Amino acid sequence: MVMEYMPHGNLRDFLILHSMKQDDETEVDQNECSQDGVILTDNQMVQFARDVANGMAFLARQEVIHRDLAARNVLIDANLTCKVSDFGLACHVTDLEMAKRFHHETPLPVRWMAPEALLRGIYSQMSDVWSFGVVMWEIASRGEKPYPGISAKDVVIFLKDGNKMVPPRSCEQKICNIMNSCWEETPDQRPKFEDLVEKFDNILDVEHDYLLLKFVH
C-alpha cells in the first residue's frame, strides 16, 4: 500500500514538540522553537481543529464511524494540514452490532470515548463528535493527556457519575463553547461535523478581518 508521506508525524507529538520551547515562562529565541521553524499560534490551533472536523465530516458522509479519534491518530502533512488516520476500529453504520462485539473483545481508548459508547457500547457519528471534543482539548492543552490526574479505570466512574472535563484555562470562550457542545450528554444535542467546520470557518474569518497593510509612498 502506497500512502502520502506525512513529515510532521502525529498531532499529539507535534503539539508537545512545538510547545516545549514556547512556554511563556521560558525565555527562548523563537528561531529555536523547533527545527522546522514552526511556531504555534492560536490561529494555527483553530486550523488544526478545523482540519480534523473536515476529515470527520467526510467520514460522516460516507456513513463511517471512526471510534478511535484522538490526536495520536491525526497526521500532519508538509503544509501543516491535519488528516485523520488509523481506521483499525472504524466501522460502517450498518456494522454496529459487530462494533458492540468488538467492545468486549478489544482494548478501548476510554479517555476519548463518549459515555454511551464507553458504558453501553453504543457508537454513532455523535460518539465521534464527543471524541472530537477531546481532540480539541488535546490541541488547546498542547498535547496533554485527557483527564489529567485520573486513571483510565477511574475515567469510567468519572463519566458514569455525569462529570466532564473542564477546558484548559488558556482556551478562549468561543472555543470552550464548541468543546463543551461536543460533550452534551444527549448525543442528538451535539453538533454535526459539518456544523463544526462552519463554526471554525467563521472563527478563522474573524481572524482575517484586520490585516497589516504596507503603503507605498
Side-chain angles (χ1 to χ4, degrees), residues 11-13 15-16 19 71 111-112 134-149 165 168-170:
L11 177 58
R12 180 178 183 274
D13 290 347
L15 291 168
I16 294 173
S19 63
R111 295 179 188 274
W112 288 264
V134 181
V135 172
M136 286 187 64
W137 188 95
E138 291 184 276
I139 294 173
S141 67
R142 306 294 181 96
E144 290 188 17
K145 180 185 291 187
Y147 302 94
M165 275 198 299
R169 291 183 179 179
S170 60

Side-chain angles (χ1 to χ4, degrees), residues 16-188:
I16 294 173
L17 175 64
H18 291 79
S19 63
M20 285 174 59
K21 294 184 178 181
Q22 290 182 231
D23 193 323
D24 292 338
E25 298 178 359
T26 305
E27 293 185 3
V28 178
D29 188 336
Q30 287 190 338
N31 292 327
E32 298 178 357
C33 284
S34 65
Q35 293 181 349
D36 54 19
V38 175
I39 298 176
L40 296 180
T41 63
D42 290 343
N43 194 69
Q44 182 64 67
M45 307 289 257
V46 174
Q47 185 64 55
F48 285 159
R50 193 268 181 199
D51 290 343
V52 177
N54 192 46
M56 293 303 297
F58 172 81
L59 290 183
R61 290 193 293 273
Q62 312 309 311
E63 298 187 324
V64 171
I65 303 171
H66 191 283
R67 299 202 307 144
D68 195 12
L69 182 60
R72 64 179 175 275
N73 292 332
V74 174
L75 301 179
I76 305 177
D77 70 11
N79 297 317
L80 298 185
T81 300
C82 288
K83 299 186 179 182
V84 179
S85 67
D86 198 335
F87 296 91
L89 294 180
C91 67
H92 194 270
V93 292
T94 58
D95 297 327
L96 289 179
E97 288 303 316
M98 185 176 293
K100 287 186 178 182
R101 178 168 63 83
F102 284 155
H103 185 91
H104 299 289
E105 299 177 357
T106 306
L108 299 171
V110 297
R111 295 179 188 274
W112 288 264
M113 293 175 65
E116 69 273 12
L118 183 61
L119 303 174
R120 302 191 300 277
I122 299 175
Y123 296 93
S124 67
Q125 292 173 0
M126 293 297 101
S127 61
D128 275 349
V129 170
W130 177 289
S131 301
F132 174 75
V134 181
V135 172
M136 286 187 64
W137 188 95
E138 291 184 276
I139 294 173
S141 67
R142 306 294 181 96
E144 290 188 17
K145 180 185 291 187
Y147 302 94
I150 304 177
S151 68
K153 183 178 180 180
D154 288 340
V155 168
V156 180
I157 300 173
F158 183 81
L159 291 175
K160 189 174 182 180
D161 290 341
N163 299 308
K164 302 175 185 177
M165 275 198 299
V166 176
R169 291 183 179 179
S170 60
C171 198
E172 292 187 19
Q173 189 58 51
K174 54 191 174 184
I175 300 299
C176 291
N177 292 341
I178 297 175
M179 192 182 304
N180 284 323
S181 72
C182 294
W183 296 336
E184 288 286 348
E185 183 176 354
T186 303
D188 288 344

